[in-house]
Amino acid sequence: MDQEMPVNTRFRAPRTILAAACAALLLAACGGERAETGTAGADAEAAPAAAGEVNLYTTREPGLIQPLLDAFTAQSGTRVNTVLLKDGLLERLGAEGARSTADVLMVVDTGNMLDLVEAGHTQPLQSEVLESAIPAHLRGADDQWFAMSLRDRVLYAHRDLELESFHYEDLADPQWKGKVCIRSGQHPYNTSLFAAMIAHHGAEATEQWLTGVKANLARKAAGGDRDVARDILAGICDIGIANAYYVGRMKNAEPGSEQHQWGEAIKVIRPTFDVEGGGTHVNISGAALARHAPNRDNAVALMEYLVSDEAQSLYARANYEYPVKAGVELDPVVASFGELTVDPLPLTEVVANRREASALVDKVGFDN
């Protein structure tokens, strides 16, 4: 797959209700005992702390974060117990309630992180280490969540195209008619970008922009981010919007492989919003302290380690994501994209527009 599974791909699907019901039935059948897959009643006593371990609930692909967790264990001696939940994290936490063993919650996409906050599954964490490493617009104003790495939404362009700079607004320029590729507008990566466009220009202007982008599509909005590079190589389109870290994966793939060929066919341009002080749109992988964390001290230690120079460098070299902490050495491929100037708009303001952005995608028939 071309993505990590988000908690909600489009806010709330009916199957999540079923998941919650199943969790409740499992709890009743087990008499309130916690199985390895773990469900527990909300009114039960809090789980006791266990020395030397920390429990991580995450939607992230294990291979992408395991090097970080292994390094933390090697440094601290604290064992990390990872619970991978590709779907149903909100429902799992709701079913477990105060008996939840979760210490740290880690997800991708700001919207998914704020869903956890709004559902009451996190708690504030005041940490000088986190606050000094993470810019204010990349963490919750109430210290409920923190970005751990950045995923910039960039332009893939044919490597021979004479193009050195770009604004997101330019995607609707008629000069690109029939030359643009992009994945579904309802995917969280794009919904987040469109929500940022609303924050900068308003809903009416964003609707007009989306209509213009749709008119410029070379094919239906579908597939994944790497498919944009594939289709540029195939001559289907000249430019497209996708996440930068996929390029690191493609260009570092086995020479001669399909993915390596896709990566070699493109160059990366970091677009900015065409507003005063506008920067490049980013989404995040983020972490939060779980509301009932039984191993709180170890949880804080893990979160603080994740913004250390060592961990941030691992993010950059293993995942090709952009470090949230300034001054960390980048992977050479990522460094070749040039300096990243992050759009200063607080991500909480962006996320506030995601439902309206999703509605606009449907209104203009973007994915049709």
Side-chain angles (χ1 to χ4, degrees):
M1 292 181 65
D2 205 24
Q3 66 177 54
E4 296 176 55
M5 185 68 69
V7 177
N8 293 317
T9 56
R10 195 174 175 191
F11 314 125
R12 196 61 51 84
R15 68 175 181 274
T16 60
I17 300 174
L18 178 61
C22 290
L25 288 173
L26 177 62
L27 171 62
C30 295
E33 295 181 5
R34 189 186 307 108
E36 283 188 4
T37 52
T39 55
D43 295 329
E45 295 180 1
E53 66 179 16
V54 61
N55 302 313
L56 172 67
Y57 282 25
T58 182
T59 62
R60 299 216 61 181
E61 294 177 14
L64 296 181
I65 59 173
Q66 197 59 50
L68 294 143
L69 305 182
D70 291 343
F72 170 72
T73 297
Q75 182 187 94
S76 66
T78 302
R79 183 175 73 252
V80 182
N81 304 314
T82 304
V83 177
L84 173 65
L85 295 159
K86 289 188 175 182
D87 199 8
L89 176 57
L90 282 165
E91 289 70 31
R92 168 76 174 258
L93 292 168
E96 290 181 345
R99 285 191 62 191
S100 177
T101 59
D103 293 308
V104 177
L105 309 176
M106 183 183 291
V107 298
V108 295
D109 182 65
T110 313
N112 291 330
M113 179 60 71
L114 291 186
D115 282 343
L116 293 172
V117 174
E118 292 170 2
H121 296 313
T122 64
Q123 60 173 297
L125 170 57
Q126 293 184 336
S127 163
E128 292 184 5
V129 173
L130 294 173
E131 290 178 5
S132 64
I134 305 170
H137 63 287
L138 297 176
R139 49 187 163 86
D142 53 359
D143 298 317
Q144 294 270 3
W145 62 271
F146 302 86
M148 295 291 159
S149 65
L150 304 179
R151 297 163 157 220
D152 42 326
R153 202 82 179 132
V154 301
L155 189 81
Y156 292 5
H158 191 283
R159 64 185 180 188
D160 295 331
L161 197 62
E162 293 185 5
L163 190 66
E164 301 300 328
S165 62
F166 201 82
H167 292 304
Y168 293 109
E169 291 83 351
D170 296 338
L171 286 169
D173 191 313
Q175 71 168 309
W176 300 112
K177 187 172 181 63
K179 299 179 180 180
V180 177
C181 286
I182 195 170
R183 74 192 306 165
S184 167
Q186 290 295 1
H187 190 279
Y189 295 164
N190 283 334
T191 303
S192 178
L193 173 63
F194 302 162
M197 189 67 71
I198 293 174
H200 280 300
H201 297 293
E204 183 177 351
T206 300
E207 180 181 345
Q208 295 174 356
W209 175 76
L210 281 172
T211 300
V213 177
K214 176 178 170 55
N216 286 344
L217 295 182
R219 57 159 170 79
K220 183 178 179 179
D225 279 2
R226 279 174 282 201
D227 293 334
V228 174
R230 178 200 66 189
D231 290 347
I232 289 175
L233 174 62
I236 295 172
C237 45
D238 289 343
I239 62 173
I241 291 291
N243 279 354
Y245 72 91
Y246 287 117
V247 182
R249 296 185 188 181
M250 291 186 289
K251 287 185 178 290
N252 285 300
E254 184 70 24
S257 66
E258 282 190 335
Q259 289 206 39
H260 188 261
Q261 293 177 49
W262 301 345
E264 291 300 299
I266 64 171
K267 61 181 177 180
V268 170
I269 297 172
R270 286 194 167 111
T272 58
F273 289 102
D274 192 11
V275 297
E276 184 177 356
T280 299
H281 177 67
V282 299
N283 211 321
I284 67 165
S285 71
L289 181 63
R291 179 179 180 182
H292 304 291
N295 305 292
R296 191 181 191 281
D297 289 346
N298 291 342
V300 174
L302 174 58
M303 292 177 64
E304 291 183 343
Y305 170 76
L306 290 175
V307 297
S308 67
D309 288 348
E310 178 184 17
Q312 289 287 294
S313 180
L314 282 171
Y315 269 119
R317 289 185 282 112
N319 300 344
Y320 310 109
E321 297 178 46
Y322 206 90
V324 72
K325 186 177 184 180
V328 174
E329 184 177 358
L330 302 175
D331 172 83
V333 171
V334 176
S336 72
F337 305 157
E339 184 179 356
L340 171 61
T341 301
V342 176
D343 191 54
L345 193 70
L347 292 178
T348 49
E349 292 185 28
V350 174
V351 171
N353 298 306
R354 61 186 172 137
R355 287 174 173 79
E356 188 168 20
S358 175
L360 288 179
V361 168
D362 284 344
K363 184 177 180 180
V364 305
F366 194 84
D367 289 348
N368 295 344

